[in-house]
Amino acid sequence: MRYQSQRSPEERELTERIKAIAFERRRFGYRRVHQLLRREGAEVNHKKVYRLYREAGLAVRKRKRRKGVMVERQPLVLPGAPNHTWSMDFVMDSLANGRRIKCLTIVDDFTKECLDIPVAMGISGEQVARTLDGIAAFRGYPKAVRTDQGPEFTGRALDQWAYRHGVELKLIQPGKPMQNGYVESFNGKFRDECLNEHWFRDLAHAREKISNWRLDYNEQRPHSSLGYQTPLEFASALRLGKTDSKVTDITREQLD
């Protein structure tokens, strides 16, 4: 009754090694810890590793599943005029040193213009709102903005911005990227023609190259759904009332 078990030095050493592996590789459970120990030459079975693993209070933390906002599916309808609906999304890339960067792509759904692509190591909801204010200073505010359910888009900052300026936020359903098809189509071109073609030395170099590509996309690249006009030519013709009605018909047919 008074007996207290004494661990052998070998078992204490094994426990310390299990702890070290678990802290180094936090997503490894006892089975993978056991395999690493075997690779190191330790002759120990998985049952003992499990017992020591549990006695040390180790466990892989379960990731909490982020709950998306429940929204009804909204059909992807072509707006009837410029500045009616903007679409936004994030595109990820990396610098030459391996550091990740985020690019926020913003597109006018009707004219296909790329309104801006801010690039940073991280972009918060407040920065998204400031970027939209910067665009609106020249174009005015849109009637709606379509986004996915990323935390930058569902947070308080963008919600307050939308309420302040009378803008409707259109959230797509989780896991349904094609409900935001216009910006997804743009992102494909952005990746193929810009991100995959350049090796960015640093953040300043990435911003320069991406800014130059955006200008080329808006001013030089013909767009098939705009009757092979550039987005800038199409938007300019709209303002002057010279747009061929067949162009918008072509765009609508491509949706069907």
Side-chain angles (χ1 to χ4, degrees):
M1 291 175 62
R2 297 183 179 86
Y3 175 77
Q4 293 182 353
S5 63
Q6 299 293 324
R7 287 190 176 182
S8 65
E10 292 79 8
E11 191 167 292
R12 288 197 297 270
E13 183 179 343
L14 180 60
T15 301
E16 292 302 317
R17 185 58 190 142
I18 289 172
K19 287 181 180 179
I21 294 174
F23 286 129
E24 181 182 351
R25 301 179 180 272
R26 295 179 181 273
R27 300 304 304 172
F28 279 21
Y30 81 93
R31 293 182 185 277
R32 285 199 280 185
V33 170
H34 172 246
Q35 291 300 322
L36 290 179
L37 290 170
R38 293 291 298 272
R39 290 183 183 183
E40 294 175 359
E43 294 294 333
V44 58
N45 64 36
H46 69 279
K47 295 179 182 179
K48 186 171 185 178
V49 172
Y50 176 73
R51 175 173 61 82
L52 298 177
Y53 185 88
R54 296 295 294 176
E55 287 177 358
L58 300 172
V60 178
R61 294 183 63 182
K62 291 184 178 179
R63 290 194 177 107
K64 291 184 179 179
R65 185 177 179 182
R66 194 176 72 86
K67 295 182 179 179
V69 180
M70 292 297 294
V71 294
E72 292 184 3
R73 182 184 182 279
Q74 298 184 8
L76 186 61
V77 178
L78 180 69
N83 237 34
H84 183 284
T85 306
W86 297 351
S87 294
M88 299 192 298
D89 196 14
F90 282 109
V91 178
M92 310 298 292
D93 200 38
S94 58
L95 303 176
N97 61 10
R99 292 199 64 182
R100 302 286 289 174
I101 58 174
K102 293 180 79 170
C103 309
L104 175 63
T105 55
I106 308 171
V107 176
D108 185 305
D109 288 355
F110 186 75
T111 65
K112 313 303 180 189
E113 294 171 281
C114 176
L115 306 180
D116 201 359
I117 310 180
V119 183
M121 298 298 182
I123 300 177
S124 65
E126 290 81 1
Q127 290 170 305
V128 172
R130 286 197 296 270
T131 299
L132 295 175
D133 279 331
I135 298 170
F138 297 95
R139 301 177 61 94
Y141 289 94
K143 292 186 178 179
V145 175
R146 184 183 290 108
T147 71
D148 61 22
Q149 296 198 26
E152 300 87 354
F153 301 142
T154 56
R156 182 178 299 176
L158 194 61
D159 187 61
Q160 290 180 341
W161 173 87
Y163 177 78
R164 224 170 23 246
H165 301 292
V167 177
E168 179 188 359
L169 290 181
K170 294 186 175 183
L171 299 177
I172 66 173
Q173 293 174 314
K176 305 289 185 180
M178 288 317 299
Q179 292 181 13
N180 202 5
Y182 294 120
V183 77
E184 289 292 339
S185 174
F186 172 83
N187 288 345
K189 302 178 182 73
F190 177 46
R191 291 189 186 95
D192 292 342
E193 300 174 11
C194 183
L195 299 183
N196 293 343
E197 293 295 322
H198 294 96
W199 191 251
F200 304 126
R201 296 189 303 270
D202 50 35
L203 190 58
H205 185 231
R207 286 171 173 165
E208 177 189 356
K209 291 296 184 182
I210 290 171
S211 177
N212 290 341
W213 180 85
R214 186 180 76 87
L215 291 176
D216 182 76
Y217 175 87
N218 284 337
E219 299 175 9
Q220 302 297 328
R221 189 185 189 283
H223 205 295
S224 59
S225 67
L226 302 178
Y228 290 97
Q229 299 178 85
T230 67
L232 183 62
E233 289 171 343
F234 180 69
S236 299
L238 279 173
R239 286 192 291 270
L240 297 174
K242 297 181 180 180
T243 302
D244 187 348
S245 61
K246 293 181 181 179
V247 172
T248 53
D249 292 339
I250 291 171
T251 308
R252 284 187 166 81
E253 286 175 6
Q254 290 181 346
L255 288 174
D256 299 334

